[in-house]
Amino acid sequence: MTIEDELHNATPAKLTVDRVTKVYRGKRQDVKALDDVSLTVGEGEFVCLLGPSGCGKSTLLNLIAGLEQPDAGTLTADGELIEGPGRQRGVMFQEHALFPWLDVTQNVLFGLNLKPNLSDEDRRGVARAFLEIVGLTPFANSGIHELSGGMKQRVALARALAPNPQVLCMDEPFAALDAMTREQLYDDLQKIQQQRRKTVVFVTHNVREAVCLGDRVLLFTPRPGRIRAEFRIDLPRPRNINDVAVAQLATTITTELKRLLKAENV
Ligand code: ADP
Ligand code: MG
């Protein structure tokens, strides 16, 4: 396999979530984090899971990533049962979770350990290519502690992308960043998605962010976590978080979310 194959050949996967229920057992009481949730995410589709905290968004993301198992129901990627984590599904969290004892390049190389068919030289080539994509070439040999929050999330993105996954699972990846840094990352993420399309599941509680990035936005309500509404976002790309159309649609979605929460006495 050549670097070119490595960089361009992952077809995005179709995801299915079929009647999934997840209960966390507690000492005093059980929490039904997800109740009978079903959805399909198309190949290369960017779906945002939106809702207030505690409605099961992270739980669903972790199930898709294979980090947790459902109590009932099934999840599949390209028709194959998701039974554990795999390199076909990259993950990125709010906390960057980089290894502080490794430099920037070594962090990106880490994800490539899962690809035994690549030579060391090829791995380095792939890492270099992804650091370029996220704009961190000048920092390839920097230590993690030398980076700003935004740069750390860029490294985390490069690390998630480097093994060329079919699916990218992102859990509030930009929530801890300042607004300006976040806006730059929205631009970059849209650019990356245009160039090397992934199936993306993106968790957020930020309505505008969901409208800016998503092809589709799913609204969750809590106790128990369920999907209650869905919005297809057909606005032209690239989108800017400050676009009037983005703001207007975000207002519509916020109104609907508030209505649903009120109807459920949340
Ligand atoms: P969200 O990401 O939408 O904020 P979560 O999926 O993290 O929601 O949580 C959904 C519900 O499940 C919450 O009530 C939360 O307290 C509970 N929960 C999540 N993870 C665990 C866990 N590991 N153990 C017990 N309860 C949990
Ligand atoms: Mg969460």
Side-chain angles (χ1 to χ4, degrees), residues 37-97:
V37 167
S38 297
L39 75 132
T40 303
V41 184
E43 288 110 341
E45 189 180 17
F46 195 124
V47 167
C48 293
L49 313 182
L50 177 70
S53 101
C55 56
K57 305 183 299 295
S58 294
T59 299
L60 181 54
L61 190 94
N62 290 338
L63 288 165
I64 291 170
L67 300 171
E68 305 222 40
Q69 293 298 314
D71 290 284
T74 51
L75 299 102
T76 67
D78 276 348
E80 293 206 14
L81 212 54
I82 296 174
E83 290 177 305
R87 72 155 193 83
Q88 311 85 338
R89 277 162 282 125
V91 291
M92 190 178 161
F93 300 102
Q94 178 172 340
E95 297 302 326
H96 60 76

Side-chain angles (χ1 to χ4, degrees), residues 6-237:
E6 202 46 53
L7 291 176
H8 294 290
N9 265 359
T11 42
K14 175 180 173 178
L15 294 173
T16 68
V17 175
D18 189 29
R19 312 209 59 176
V20 161
T21 293
K22 175 74 182 175
V23 180
Y24 291 109
R25 313 269 166 212
K27 281 211 179 86
R28 290 170 53 221
Q29 60 176 32
D30 295 346
V31 176
K32 202 176 240 188
L34 292 173
D35 183 26
D36 200 19
V37 167
S38 297
L39 75 132
T40 303
V41 184
E43 288 110 341
E45 189 180 17
F46 195 124
V47 167
C48 293
L49 313 182
L50 177 70
S53 101
C55 56
K57 305 183 299 295
S58 294
T59 299
L60 181 54
L61 190 94
N62 290 338
L63 288 165
I64 291 170
L67 300 171
E68 305 222 40
Q69 293 298 314
D71 290 284
T74 51
L75 299 102
T76 67
D78 276 348
E80 293 206 14
L81 212 54
I82 296 174
E83 290 177 305
R87 72 155 193 83
Q88 311 85 338
R89 277 162 282 125
V91 291
M92 190 178 161
F93 300 102
Q94 178 172 340
E95 297 302 326
H96 60 76
L98 300 173
F99 304 114
W101 61 90
L102 301 178
D103 72 14
V104 166
T105 297
Q106 289 165 333
N107 265 281
V108 178
L109 282 170
F110 187 84
L112 294 167
N113 287 341
L114 301 164
K115 306 204 105 181
N117 52 342
L118 280 186
S119 70
D120 280 356
E121 198 188 316
D122 285 349
R123 280 169 213 270
R124 296 212 152 259
V126 172
R128 216 176 295 124
F130 279 97
L131 285 175
E132 168 96 46
I133 286 168
V134 300
L136 284 184
T137 301
F139 299 92
N141 301 313
S142 298
I144 298 305
H145 63 278
E146 297 174 70
L147 306 180
S148 67
M151 287 156 80
K152 286 177 187 163
Q153 286 307 67
R154 286 173 189 277
V155 179
L157 181 59
R159 185 178 64 178
L161 289 170
N164 208 9
Q166 298 179 290
V167 178
L168 201 50
C169 300
M170 308 176 86
D171 195 346
E172 307 205 21
F174 309 141
L177 304 176
D178 65 84
M180 270 200 293
T181 304
R182 218 159 44 213
E183 285 181 28
Q184 185 60 51
L185 278 157
Y186 296 151
D187 291 349
D188 293 349
L189 187 57
Q190 289 185 86
K191 227 173 271 165
I192 291 168
Q193 178 66 352
Q194 204 173 25
Q195 285 166 7
R196 39 192 87 229
R197 209 157 187 69
K198 307 283 177 203
T199 301
V200 184
V201 182
F202 187 103
V203 167
T204 181
H205 58 251
N206 181 326
V207 186
R208 272 212 202 186
E209 176 172 277
V211 174
C212 180
L213 296 174
D215 297 316
R216 193 152 52 104
V217 175
L218 306 178
L219 293 195
F220 280 67
T221 59
R223 294 190 286 279
R226 282 182 296 188
I227 299 174
R228 297 304 312 279
E230 134 171 5
F231 291 82
R232 194 161 285 286
I233 316 292
D234 284 326
L235 302 174
R237 291 183 186 275

